[in-house]
Amino acid sequence: MLNALLEEADRAKSGLVTAESDELFSEHPHFLFQHIIENNGEGKISYDHEELLRNGLRIDLDYIIVAEITGKEAGAFSMASYTGHICWATGHGASARDGMEKLADYIQR
């Protein structure tokens, strides 16, 4: 569903899309797609959703989009929503209410 929404996003606006893997895609001309990189012991490079989002807030973007909020990136996502960005995310829950409660719990942590 989020891929379908990406296709409907305003073509004149820019955005950052972060995901754990390359599960999100679009032909949108002004979207930057980034995925997390975990340190597997072979190097010191590691980028998680939170770091990608914090870096995204430093550039001029209209959209902040996260595929599956599962932890500490919820705080950076919440901060982006208070700065005027159009924010979309996915998550898991038994209902919409459960999803919102999970998001609030992640932000609180």
Side-chain angles (χ1 to χ4, degrees):
M1 184 172 140
L2 190 51
N3 279 320
L5 286 171
L6 291 175
E7 293 303 320
E8 298 302 318
D10 187 337
R11 296 286 191 198
K13 295 187 177 196
S14 61
L16 171 66
V17 180
T18 70
E20 188 171 334
S21 60
D22 294 330
E23 59 192 316
L24 296 178
F25 47 87
S26 172
E27 296 295 323
H28 194 291
H30 304 293
F31 275 6
L32 174 62
F33 289 80
Q34 297 183 334
H35 63 271
I36 65 172
I37 297 174
E38 295 179 353
N39 183 332
N40 60 6
E42 295 179 9
K44 295 181 180 180
I45 296 174
S46 177
Y47 298 106
D48 60 13
H49 279 298
E50 183 183 29
E51 187 168 5
L52 294 174
L53 289 171
R54 277 188 285 120
N55 289 336
L57 290 174
R58 294 183 177 111
I59 56 179
D60 185 24
L61 298 170
D62 300 299
Y63 289 90
I64 298 287
I65 300 162
V66 180
E68 195 173 350
I69 290 182
T70 59
K72 62 184 181 176
E73 68 275 2
F77 180 79
S78 176
M79 187 183 324
S81 70
Y82 283 112
T83 59
H85 293 83
I86 300 164
C87 295
W88 296 342
T90 62
H92 293 279
S95 66
R97 181 179 178 89
D98 184 51
M100 293 303 292
E101 288 174 359
K102 277 185 163 184
L103 181 60
D105 184 52
Y106 293 146
I107 292 169
Q108 193 173 32
R109 287 187 204 173

